[in-house]
Amino acid sequence: MTIFDRLLAIILSYSSSKKNLFHVMPRTIRLLYCICGVALIASSSGFAPSTCTLTNRSGLKRLHKVSLGESTGESNDTGITVERILESLPSTDTIAANLSEGKLGERGEQYVIAQFGLLLFITIGNVPFIGDAFSTLLGPTLLLTGLFAVYKSAADLQDNLSPWPVPTSPTSGRGSLINSGIYSYVRHPMYTGVLLGMVGLSIVTDSVVRLLLTCALYYVLDVKSEYEETKLVEIYGEEYESYKQEVEGKFFPADWKNVF
């Protein structure tokens, strides 16, 4: 008995025992219910597509036998068994022959070692001798570096500080183009600090979800910064275009030599 036979038998048994409930169902639910039944009948190994009807009495009789656990007298050659799965795989002799083929050191062993090494580390969730230091040192370092970058960016912006991507207009007496301090290394250092801080927090708390959300945050900040720069070009024109050419890095320095 296949899984399709069992599911179809459950549907038919449920329809018989809950006949009144079926008739008071909303029309949409009843339609979906019938579609599922027809789909299971069509998928069942004991039915041909040409005889897949709800009025097929021999088919219904067979299904009631299946639901009662009785033998239908029909052979089932389409079932999935462990033996058939194993038979579909290459033999151990073939695998051994493939492993021994080629010269040692010329078969790309380094890639296989790296592949299965990383799979092992991912499975156990740690890197021996390095994992503890990674979470203990790198996480807090990135978090503190990010906080400092956010602070320094806010300090350099002064009266320009705003959460909106549309910059403060110079006509208000507060807006001006900042291209000194930390802004002489990257164009959006505050976003850099936020991203570094969130990556550090993800490592410190050992949270994959936080790390994935940080990736989504990176995308949002990237789109936001593009919109922000279009507005900066509208306000400052060639002055901001020259600044973009001078400072090529948006979130991270294009040339680390200038940083150190």
Side-chain angles (χ1 to χ4, degrees), residues 123-162:
T123 302
I124 65 178
N126 194 11
V127 181
F129 309 110
I130 299 178
D132 293 337
F134 182 78
S135 58
T136 303
L137 298 177
L138 183 60
T141 300
L142 290 176
L143 181 58
L144 294 175
T145 302
L147 291 174
F148 174 77
V150 171
Y151 158 74
K152 189 66 171 66
S153 302
D156 289 347
L157 279 175
Q158 291 295 325
D159 294 339
N160 294 277
L161 182 62
S162 171

mmCIF file of all heavy atoms in Angstrom, residues 123-162:
data_model
loop_
_atom_site.group_PDB
_atom_site.id
_atom_site.type_symbol
_atom_site.label_atom_id
_atom_site.label_comp_id
_atom_site.label_asym_id
_atom_site.label_seq_id
_atom_site.Cartn_x
_atom_site.Cartn_y
_atom_site.Cartn_z
ATOM 1 N N THR A 123 28.885 21.627 10.916
ATOM 2 C CA THR A 123 28.056 20.635 11.612
ATOM 3 C C THR A 123 28.192 20.745 13.123
ATOM 4 O O THR A 123 27.197 20.731 13.861
ATOM 5 C CB THR A 123 28.437 19.218 11.152
ATOM 6 O OG1 THR A 123 28.269 19.117 9.730
ATOM 7 C CG2 THR A 123 27.561 18.181 11.842
ATOM 8 N N ILE A 124 29.435 20.858 13.606
ATOM 9 C CA ILE A 124 29.654 20.931 15.055
ATOM 10 C C ILE A 124 29.446 22.346 15.584
ATOM 11 O O ILE A 124 29.353 22.552 16.794
ATOM 12 C CB ILE A 124 31.060 20.427 15.439
ATOM 13 C CG1 ILE A 124 32.148 21.352 14.839
ATOM 14 C CG2 ILE A 124 31.253 19.002 14.979
ATOM 15 C CD1 ILE A 124 33.555 20.932 15.211
ATOM 16 N N GLY A 125 29.363 23.323 14.661
ATOM 17 C CA GLY A 125 29.102 24.688 15.077
ATOM 18 C C GLY A 125 30.267 25.388 15.731
ATOM 19 O O GLY A 125 30.068 26.335 16.505
ATOM 20 N N ASN A 126 31.486 24.942 15.441
ATOM 21 C CA ASN A 126 32.647 25.562 16.071
ATOM 22 C C ASN A 126 33.896 25.226 15.273
ATOM 23 O O ASN A 126 33.908 24.253 14.512
ATOM 24 C CB ASN A 126 32.800 25.068 17.511
ATOM 25 C CG ASN A 126 33.769 25.922 18.316
ATOM 26 O OD1 ASN A 126 34.175 26.997 17.878
ATOM 27 N ND2 ASN A 126 34.138 25.447 19.491
ATOM 28 N N VAL A 127 34.928 26.045 15.441
ATOM 29 C CA VAL A 127 36.226 25.778 14.838
ATOM 30 C C VAL A 127 37.206 25.504 15.976
ATOM 31 O O VAL A 127 37.474 26.403 16.772
ATOM 32 C CB VAL A 127 36.722 26.965 13.991
ATOM 33 C CG1 VAL A 127 38.076 26.644 13.354
ATOM 34 C CG2 VAL A 127 35.701 27.307 12.916
ATOM 35 N N PRO A 128 37.718 24.285 16.114
ATOM 36 C CA PRO A 128 38.607 23.957 17.228
ATOM 37 C C PRO A 128 39.792 24.914 17.310
ATOM 38 O O PRO A 128 40.399 25.263 16.301
ATOM 39 C CB PRO A 128 39.060 22.520 16.894
ATOM 40 C CG PRO A 128 37.977 21.984 16.017
ATOM 41 C CD PRO A 128 37.470 23.142 15.224
ATOM 42 N N PHE A 129 40.096 25.345 18.535
ATOM 43 C CA PHE A 129 41.230 26.216 18.865
ATOM 44 C C PHE A 129 41.063 27.647 18.349
ATOM 45 O O PHE A 129 41.797 28.536 18.759
ATOM 46 C CB PHE A 129 42.561 25.661 18.320
ATOM 47 C CG PHE A 129 42.810 24.233 18.686
ATOM 48 C CD1 PHE A 129 42.758 23.246 17.716
ATOM 49 C CD2 PHE A 129 43.083 23.865 19.992
ATOM 50 C CE1 PHE A 129 42.989 21.925 18.040
ATOM 51 C CE2 PHE A 129 43.317 22.541 20.319
ATOM 52 C CZ PHE A 129 43.267 21.565 19.362
ATOM 53 N N ILE A 130 40.115 27.879 17.470
ATOM 54 C CA ILE A 130 39.936 29.214 16.910
ATOM 55 C C ILE A 130 38.551 29.772 17.239
ATOM 56 O O ILE A 130 38.386 30.969 17.440
ATOM 57 C CB ILE A 130 40.134 29.189 15.372
ATOM 58 C CG1 ILE A 130 41.544 28.719 15.034
ATOM 59 C CG2 ILE A 130 39.891 30.566 14.768
ATOM 60 C CD1 ILE A 130 41.813 28.612 13.552
ATOM 61 N N GLY A 131 37.558 28.889 17.297
ATOM 62 C CA GLY A 131 36.186 29.337 17.500
ATOM 63 C C GLY A 131 35.994 30.165 18.747
ATOM 64 O O GLY A 131 35.337 31.214 18.720
ATOM 65 N N ASP A 132 36.576 29.744 19.875
ATOM 66 C CA ASP A 132 36.415 30.489 21.121
ATOM 67 C C ASP A 132 37.073 31.858 21.030
ATOM 68 O O ASP A 132 36.507 32.866 21.462
ATOM 69 C CB ASP A 132 37.008 29.688 22.284
ATOM 70 C CG ASP A 132 36.222 28.409 22.553
ATOM 71 O OD1 ASP A 132 35.031 28.370 22.171
ATOM 72 O OD2 ASP A 132 36.792 27.467 23.121
ATOM 73 N N ALA A 133 38.272 31.889 20.464
ATOM 74 C CA ALA A 133 38.958 33.173 20.309
ATOM 75 C C ALA A 133 38.206 34.068 19.329
ATOM 76 O O ALA A 133 38.160 35.293 19.489
ATOM 77 C CB ALA A 133 40.384 32.936 19.829
ATOM 78 N N PHE A 134 37.610 33.446 18.318
ATOM 79 C CA PHE A 134 36.849 34.196 17.308
ATOM 80 C C PHE A 134 35.688 34.934 17.961
ATOM 81 O O PHE A 134 35.482 36.121 17.726
ATOM 82 C CB PHE A 134 36.349 33.229 16.242
ATOM 83 C CG PHE A 134 35.592 33.888 15.125
ATOM 84 C CD1 PHE A 134 36.269 34.548 14.118
ATOM 85 C CD2 PHE A 134 34.209 33.842 15.076
ATOM 86 C CE1 PHE A 134 35.581 35.164 13.071
ATOM 87 C CE2 PHE A 134 33.511 34.446 14.048
ATOM 88 C CZ PHE A 134 34.207 35.103 13.046
ATOM 89 N N SER A 135 34.924 34.223 18.789
ATOM 90 C CA SER A 135 33.758 34.840 19.418
ATOM 91 C C SER A 135 34.148 35.728 20.588
ATOM 92 O O SER A 135 33.461 36.704 20.887
ATOM 93 C CB SER A 135 32.780 33.755 19.895
ATOM 94 O OG SER A 135 33.415 32.875 20.802
ATOM 95 N N THR A 136 35.260 35.418 21.254
ATOM 96 C CA THR A 136 35.676 36.172 22.432
ATOM 97 C C THR A 136 36.370 37.478 22.068
ATOM 98 O O THR A 136 36.171 38.505 22.727
ATOM 99 C CB THR A 136 36.616 35.327 23.309
ATOM 100 O OG1 THR A 136 35.950 34.110 23.656
ATOM 101 C CG2 THR A 136 36.992 36.078 24.570
ATOM 102 N N LEU A 137 37.164 37.458 20.996
ATOM 103 C CA LEU A 137 37.948 38.638 20.630
ATOM 104 C C LEU A 137 37.333 39.424 19.474
ATOM 105 O O LEU A 137 37.160 40.638 19.567
ATOM 106 C CB LEU A 137 39.376 38.220 20.263
ATOM 107 C CG LEU A 137 40.184 37.552 21.381
ATOM 108 C CD1 LEU A 137 41.555 37.133 20.862
ATOM 109 C CD2 LEU A 137 40.332 38.493 22.573
ATOM 110 N N LEU A 138 37.012 38.739 18.384
ATOM 111 C CA LEU A 138 36.538 39.440 17.201
ATOM 112 C C LEU A 138 35.190 40.108 17.427
ATOM 113 O O LEU A 138 34.973 41.252 17.005
ATOM 114 C CB LEU A 138 36.451 38.462 16.019
ATOM 115 C CG LEU A 138 36.027 39.077 14.684
ATOM 116 C CD1 LEU A 138 37.025 40.149 14.261
ATOM 117 C CD2 LEU A 138 35.914 38.012 13.607
ATOM 118 N N GLY A 139 34.268 39.403 18.088
ATOM 119 C CA GLY A 139 32.937 39.956 18.320
ATOM 120 C C GLY A 139 32.973 41.276 19.079
ATOM 121 O O GLY A 139 32.489 42.309 18.587
ATOM 122 N N PRO A 140 33.565 41.314 20.289
ATOM 123 C CA PRO A 140 33.635 42.579 21.024
ATOM 124 C C PRO A 140 34.424 43.662 20.296
ATOM 125 O O PRO A 140 34.087 44.850 20.382
ATOM 126 C CB PRO A 140 34.327 42.175 22.335
ATOM 127 C CG PRO A 140 34.026 40.730 22.485
ATOM 128 C CD PRO A 140 34.023 40.180 21.093
ATOM 129 N N THR A 141 35.484 43.249 19.561
ATOM 130 C CA THR A 141 36.284 44.234 18.823
ATOM 131 C C THR A 141 35.446 44.926 17.760
ATOM 132 O O THR A 141 35.479 46.163 17.628
ATOM 133 C CB THR A 141 37.499 43.559 18.173
ATOM 134 O OG1 THR A 141 38.315 42.975 19.192
ATOM 135 C CG2 THR A 141 38.318 44.569 17.389
ATOM 136 N N LEU A 142 34.691 44.153 16.988
ATOM 137 C CA LEU A 142 33.831 44.745 15.964
ATOM 138 C C LEU A 142 32.738 45.604 16.585
ATOM 139 O O LEU A 142 32.402 46.677 16.058
ATOM 140 C CB LEU A 142 33.203 43.642 15.100
ATOM 141 C CG LEU A 142 34.147 42.892 14.160
ATOM 142 C CD1 LEU A 142 33.404 41.769 13.449
ATOM 143 C CD2 LEU A 142 34.755 43.839 13.129
ATOM 144 N N LEU A 143 32.183 45.149 17.686
ATOM 145 C CA LEU A 143 31.116 45.905 18.350
ATOM 146 C C LEU A 143 31.623 47.257 18.835
ATOM 147 O O LEU A 143 30.985 48.298 18.594
ATOM 148 C CB LEU A 143 30.562 45.087 19.517
ATOM 149 C CG LEU A 143 29.412 45.712 20.317
ATOM 150 C CD1 LEU A 143 28.233 46.020 19.408
ATOM 151 C CD2 LEU A 143 28.996 44.779 21.447
ATOM 152 N N LEU A 144 32.790 47.269 19.504
ATOM 153 C CA LEU A 144 33.348 48.520 20.009
ATOM 154 C C LEU A 144 33.801 49.433 18.864
ATOM 155 O O LEU A 144 33.623 50.656 18.926
ATOM 156 C CB LEU A 144 34.517 48.228 20.952
ATOM 157 C CG LEU A 144 34.147 47.509 22.258
ATOM 158 C CD1 LEU A 144 35.395 47.173 23.054
ATOM 159 C CD2 LEU A 144 33.190 48.370 23.084
ATOM 160 N N THR A 145 34.380 48.822 17.809
ATOM 161 C CA THR A 145 34.791 49.618 16.651
ATOM 162 C C THR A 145 33.591 50.274 15.994
ATOM 163 O O THR A 145 33.646 51.447 15.584
ATOM 164 C CB THR A 145 35.528 48.736 15.629
ATOM 165 O OG1 THR A 145 36.667 48.134 16.258
ATOM 166 C CG2 THR A 145 35.989 49.548 14.442
ATOM 167 N N GLY A 146 32.496 49.532 15.894
ATOM 168 C CA GLY A 146 31.282 50.081 15.309
ATOM 169 C C GLY A 146 30.720 51.234 16.130
ATOM 170 O O GLY A 146 30.314 52.265 15.576
ATOM 171 N N LEU A 147 30.708 51.072 17.452
ATOM 172 C CA LEU A 147 30.211 52.144 18.310
ATOM 173 C C LEU A 147 31.067 53.399 18.185
ATOM 174 O O LEU A 147 30.554 54.523 18.142
ATOM 175 C CB LEU A 147 30.177 51.666 19.768
ATOM 176 C CG LEU A 147 29.123 50.596 20.100
ATOM 177 C CD1 LEU A 147 29.289 50.120 21.532
ATOM 178 C CD2 LEU A 147 27.711 51.131 19.863
ATOM 179 N N PHE A 148 32.381 53.204 18.104
ATOM 180 C CA PHE A 148 33.270 54.357 17.955
ATOM 181 C C PHE A 148 33.045 55.052 16.617
ATOM 182 O O PHE A 148 33.046 56.296 16.544
ATOM 183 C CB PHE A 148 34.738 53.928 18.066
ATOM 184 C CG PHE A 148 35.708 55.028 17.786
ATOM 185 C CD1 PHE A 148 35.954 56.007 18.736
ATOM 186 C CD2 PHE A 148 36.369 55.098 16.559
ATOM 187 C CE1 PHE A 148 36.840 57.051 18.475
ATOM 188 C CE2 PHE A 148 37.259 56.126 16.292
ATOM 189 C CZ PHE A 148 37.500 57.110 17.250
ATOM 190 N N ALA A 149 32.861 54.265 15.548
ATOM 191 C CA ALA A 149 32.632 54.857 14.224
ATOM 192 C C ALA A 149 31.334 55.660 14.205
ATOM 193 O O ALA A 149 31.278 56.742 13.596
ATOM 194 C CB ALA A 149 32.596 53.763 13.161
ATOM 195 N N VAL A 150 30.293 55.162 14.875
ATOM 196 C CA VAL A 150 29.028 55.900 14.939
ATOM 197 C C VAL A 150 29.219 57.209 15.705
ATOM 198 O O VAL A 150 28.744 58.279 15.280
ATOM 199 C CB VAL A 150 27.937 55.038 15.597
ATOM 200 C CG1 VAL A 150 26.684 55.870 15.873
ATOM 201 C CG2 VAL A 150 27.584 53.859 14.716
ATOM 202 N N TYR A 151 29.931 57.125 16.820
ATOM 203 C CA TYR A 151 30.180 58.342 17.614
ATOM 204 C C TYR A 151 30.979 59.367 16.814
ATOM 205 O O TYR A 151 30.637 60.548 16.784
ATOM 206 C CB TYR A 151 30.933 57.988 18.888
ATOM 207 C CG TYR A 151 31.679 59.153 19.492
ATOM 208 C CD1 TYR A 151 30.983 60.173 20.151
ATOM 209 C CD2 TYR A 151 33.063 59.266 19.353
ATOM 210 C CE1 TYR A 151 31.660 61.265 20.676
ATOM 211 C CE2 TYR A 151 33.737 60.343 19.869
ATOM 212 C CZ TYR A 151 33.038 61.347 20.535
ATOM 213 O OH TYR A 151 33.704 62.426 21.037
ATOM 214 N N LYS A 152 32.083 58.920 16.173
ATOM 215 C CA LYS A 152 32.940 59.845 15.430
ATOM 216 C C LYS A 152 32.181 60.455 14.250
ATOM 217 O O LYS A 152 32.350 61.649 13.945
ATOM 218 C CB LYS A 152 34.171 59.104 14.910
ATOM 219 C CG LYS A 152 35.234 59.991 14.304
ATOM 220 C CD LYS A 152 35.842 60.894 15.360
ATOM 221 C CE LYS A 152 37.066 61.655 14.828
ATOM 222 N NZ LYS A 152 36.738 62.615 13.771
ATOM 223 N N SER A 153 31.333 59.670 13.591
ATOM 224 C CA SER A 153 30.546 60.197 12.482
ATOM 225 C C SER A 153 29.584 61.276 12.953
ATOM 226 O O SER A 153 29.453 62.334 12.317
ATOM 227 C CB SER A 153 29.765 59.067 11.809
ATOM 228 O OG SER A 153 30.629 58.057 11.338
ATOM 229 N N ALA A 154 28.908 61.031 14.079
ATOM 230 C CA ALA A 154 27.975 62.021 14.618
ATOM 231 C C ALA A 154 28.709 63.286 15.042
ATOM 232 O O ALA A 154 28.215 64.406 14.825
ATOM 233 C CB ALA A 154 27.215 61.423 15.792
ATOM 234 N N ALA A 155 29.905 63.115 15.622
ATOM 235 C CA ALA A 155 30.679 64.273 16.057
ATOM 236 C C ALA A 155 31.142 65.103 14.872
ATOM 237 O O ALA A 155 31.145 66.345 14.930
ATOM 238 C CB ALA A 155 31.876 63.819 16.888
ATOM 239 N N ASP A 156 31.535 64.457 13.775
ATOM 240 C CA ASP A 156 32.000 65.189 12.596
ATOM 241 C C ASP A 156 30.850 65.845 11.840
ATOM 242 O O ASP A 156 31.046 66.884 11.190
ATOM 243 C CB ASP A 156 32.768 64.254 11.661
ATOM 244 C CG ASP A 156 34.128 63.862 12.229
ATOM 245 O OD1 ASP A 156 34.581 64.492 13.204
ATOM 246 O OD2 ASP A 156 34.730 62.907 11.694
ATOM 247 N N LEU A 157 29.673 65.258 11.898
ATOM 248 C CA LEU A 157 28.535 65.838 11.180
ATOM 249 C C LEU A 157 28.036 67.117 11.839
ATOM 250 O O LEU A 157 27.522 68.013 11.151
ATOM 251 C CB LEU A 157 27.383 64.821 11.101
ATOM 252 C CG LEU A 157 27.466 63.750 10.024
ATOM 253 C CD1 LEU A 157 26.317 62.772 10.166
ATOM 254 C CD2 LEU A 157 27.471 64.358 8.622
ATOM 255 N N GLN A 158 28.115 67.182 13.155
ATOM 256 C CA GLN A 158 27.658 68.348 13.898
ATOM 257 C C GLN A 158 26.204 68.680 13.552
ATOM 258 O O GLN A 158 25.321 67.855 13.725
ATOM 259 C CB GLN A 158 28.580 69.543 13.621
ATOM 260 C CG GLN A 158 29.982 69.386 14.204
ATOM 261 C CD GLN A 158 29.993 69.351 15.711
ATOM 262 O OE1 GLN A 158 29.193 70.034 16.385
ATOM 263 N NE2 GLN A 158 30.871 68.525 16.286
ATOM 264 N N ASP A 159 25.948 69.863 13.011
ATOM 265 C CA ASP A 159 24.570 70.302 12.757
ATOM 266 C C ASP A 159 23.912 69.581 11.592
ATOM 267 O O ASP A 159 22.713 69.763 11.351
ATOM 268 C CB ASP A 159 24.542 71.808 12.480
ATOM 269 C CG ASP A 159 24.950 72.625 13.697
ATOM 270 O OD1 ASP A 159 24.861 72.088 14.819
ATOM 271 O OD2 ASP A 159 25.381 73.786 13.523
ATOM 272 N N ASN A 160 24.680 68.782 10.840
ATOM 273 C CA ASN A 160 24.117 68.039 9.702
ATOM 274 C C ASN A 160 23.480 66.718 10.121
ATOM 275 O O ASN A 160 22.887 66.042 9.281
ATOM 276 C CB ASN A 160 25.217 67.750 8.680
ATOM 277 C CG ASN A 160 25.752 69.012 8.033
ATOM 278 O OD1 ASN A 160 25.182 69.534 7.087
ATOM 279 N ND2 ASN A 160 26.869 69.517 8.547
ATOM 280 N N LEU A 161 23.633 66.316 11.377
ATOM 281 C CA LEU A 161 23.161 65.003 11.832
ATOM 282 C C LEU A 161 21.638 64.905 11.717
ATOM 283 O O LEU A 161 20.905 65.727 12.275
ATOM 284 C CB LEU A 161 23.591 64.758 13.279
ATOM 285 C CG LEU A 161 23.206 63.409 13.884
ATOM 286 C CD1 LEU A 161 23.870 62.273 13.117
ATOM 287 C CD2 LEU A 161 23.594 63.346 15.357
ATOM 288 N N SER A 162 21.176 63.882 10.979
ATOM 289 C CA SER A 162 19.746 63.652 10.784
ATOM 290 C C SER A 162 19.536 62.209 10.353
ATOM 291 O O SER A 162 20.374 61.657 9.633
ATOM 292 C CB SER A 162 19.192 64.605 9.727
ATOM 293 O OG SER A 162 17.851 64.260 9.388
#
